[in-house]
Amino acid sequence: GMLLGDLPFGQENTYMATISGDQTIWSGGRMTAAVRIARQAREAARNTLAEQTAELELQVRTAYYQALLARELEAIALAGAEQAQAFLDQERLRFRSGRASELEALRAEVELENLQPQLIQARNAAQLAELNLKRLTDIPADQPLRLTTDLMAQIPPLEAPAPEEELPEFRRPSIMAAENQVAIREAQVDFVRGSYLPTVALRMAYGRQAFPVEVFDLSGIDWRTDWTATLSVSVPVFTGFRRGAEIEQARVQLEQARLQVEQLREAVQLEYAQARGERERARAAIGARQRTVEQAQRVHDLTVLRYEQGLATQLEVTDARLALLQARTNLAQAIADYHIADASVRRALGQTDLSAR
């Protein structure tokens, strides 16, 4: 016991305090590749968030113009019912004065009744469109909503833009997120390839030891210092061809990621071409519908005047009114289609108000 009493083992009581640290000095490029993977993954997450935000913005824009269209169709149906009511009042007055028959008054009343279901349907559609807009914008369903935009005042310039010589650059967040995935796969190939190379690591440990005679008596105890440093080199020799399989798998995943980027670009180009074509179709339709509305309004006014003079029938007045309502409906639909298609074009190009902010 006296012979081994000062040695740091075989003591009855031992206190140890140790601080150790490990640092990889060289890992064949695997640490650098891991950092690249982490950075690209963070950028991919940001781009995915931007893509979802842009998609939500498109949905809100579409719902807003659909609500405007539903409001306008309700106003058109209401205007048609009011015209039919005024015509019925006129026919009843003519019947009481002996200038019209009871049949003509009944026809005018039937025409008004036939327009009531259309008005109710238009009102229901407007309420549903507003509820959908409230849902997308997280507005309580019972909170009143006032749309400040006049759809009929949103007529775009009717001059068609010059044809594009080449496709524009698409900076969609989804494409950038897919490119981030390609960069991640490239870094994974480098990471797996680094497993063929040695790994150099440095390990250091600093410790203090004490061997008191009594368990809780540390007074006057001499703490002994133990400081070690180790430099290790790990050389991979053979892993049963596992590393080769991992490299091939990483290369296949890289090729898949590149193909997905190309497919996504082609899909966005197709989406852009479709949205742009729909926008130009709606632009052309707006010009034609404007002229149709003017002509239908003129025909309606002349037909009513001819009817008052006894030169037209009641059926002609009804047809002229329905043609006017249909022309106004078609114009409102074309304007809404243009703005929805324009939002889709901006969406395909990656141009959003939220991304601009």
Side-chain angles (χ1 to χ4, degrees):
M2 294 300 297
L3 179 63
L4 305 177
D6 294 335
L7 295 179
F9 57 86
Q11 301 295 329
E12 182 176 358
N13 302 313
T14 304
Y15 284 87
M16 301 179 63
T18 305
I19 298 176
S20 62
D22 294 276
Q23 176 63 49
T24 301
I25 299 177
W26 189 68
S27 62
R30 281 175 292 178
M31 296 300 296
T32 303
V35 172
R36 286 164 51 197
I37 291 174
R39 289 176 178 173
Q40 292 298 329
R42 180 180 59 186
E43 291 301 318
R46 290 176 178 174
N47 289 324
T48 301
L49 175 61
E51 179 73 13
Q52 295 299 324
T53 303
E55 181 64 26
L56 178 60
E57 180 181 346
L58 175 62
Q59 293 179 7
V60 172
R61 282 180 175 272
T62 302
Y64 183 78
Y65 281 105
Q66 287 176 345
L68 289 179
L69 175 61
R71 284 274 186 92
E72 187 63 28
L73 296 181
E74 180 186 2
I76 292 173
L78 180 60
E82 291 175 349
Q83 289 179 357
Q85 182 65 53
F87 188 75
L88 174 60
D89 296 339
Q90 183 181 0
E91 288 300 298
R92 287 175 176 173
L93 181 61
R94 284 162 55 88
F95 171 69
R96 288 193 295 267
S97 63
R99 294 166 42 188
S101 64
E102 183 181 2
L103 178 60
E104 292 174 335
L106 289 175
R107 283 178 176 174
E109 185 175 355
V110 170
E111 181 186 354
L112 175 61
E113 292 299 328
N114 289 335
L115 291 177
Q116 292 301 323
Q118 299 179 11
L119 177 59
I120 295 174
Q121 183 180 4
R123 286 176 177 171
N124 291 336
Q127 292 177 358
L128 291 177
E130 290 182 5
L131 287 175
N132 184 44
L133 180 59
K134 289 179 180 179
R135 177 184 64 85
L136 291 173
T137 53
D138 197 22
I139 296 177
D142 57 348
Q143 181 175 339
L145 181 65
R146 184 171 64 91
L147 306 180
T148 60
T149 306
D150 183 7
L151 179 64
M152 305 309 293
Q154 301 297 314
I155 298 178
L158 300 182
E159 297 81 8
E164 297 176 350
E165 297 181 357
E166 58 182 12
L167 288 175
E169 181 181 3
F170 298 98
R171 298 307 300 167
R172 281 278 291 270
S174 59
I175 295 180
M176 292 187 288
E179 292 174 347
N180 293 137
Q181 292 297 326
V182 172
I184 289 175
R185 298 304 182 187
E186 292 175 347
Q188 286 178 343
V189 172
D190 295 337
F191 181 87
V192 177
R193 187 184 292 117
S195 61
Y196 280 106
L197 301 177
T199 300
V200 180
L202 175 64
R203 176 181 176 85
M204 299 187 67
Y206 176 81
R208 302 293 297 275
Q209 298 179 354
F211 309 99
V213 177
E214 301 293 336
V215 178
F216 299 105
D217 184 12
L218 300 179
S219 59
I221 298 300
D222 182 21
W223 288 84
R224 303 190 180 193
T225 302
D226 182 18
W227 190 346
T228 60
T230 304
L231 182 65
S232 63
V233 179
S234 175
V235 181
V237 179
F238 181 70
T239 59
F241 306 105
R242 185 186 62 190
R243 284 190 294 269
E246 291 175 349
I247 289 180
E248 291 301 323
Q249 182 181 7
R251 288 174 177 172
V252 170
Q253 293 176 348
L254 173 59
E255 188 63 23
Q256 289 177 345
R258 289 173 177 172
L259 292 176
Q260 289 174 356
V261 171
E262 294 302 323
Q263 291 178 349
L264 183 58
R265 284 200 181 100
E266 293 175 358
V268 171
Q269 291 175 0
L270 178 60
E271 177 185 343
Y272 169 75
Q274 291 176 341
R276 195 170 187 273
E278 178 63 21
R279 185 180 64 179
E280 298 311 311
R281 183 204 62 79
R283 188 199 305 273
I286 290 174
R289 302 306 182 192
Q290 281 182 308
R291 294 188 295 271
T292 303
V293 169
E294 295 174 357
Q295 294 171 355
Q297 184 66 53
R298 181 63 176 166
V299 169
H300 176 266
D301 296 340
L302 292 177
T303 304
V304 172
L305 180 60
R306 292 178 67 246
Y307 179 77
E308 293 174 352
Q309 295 176 356
L311 301 177
T313 64
Q314 190 180 59
L315 182 59
E316 291 176 334
V317 175
T318 302
D319 291 341
R321 182 182 302 115
L322 292 178
L324 176 59
L325 296 179
Q326 187 62 44
R328 293 179 59 188
T329 299
N330 293 339
L331 176 59
Q333 183 68 58
I335 295 175
D337 289 344
Y338 173 85
H339 288 287
I340 293 175
D342 184 67
S344 299
V345 170
R346 298 177 58 191
R347 172 78 174 88
L349 293 173
Q351 300 173 355
T352 60
D353 292 340
L354 293 179
S355 62
R357 299 194 193 114

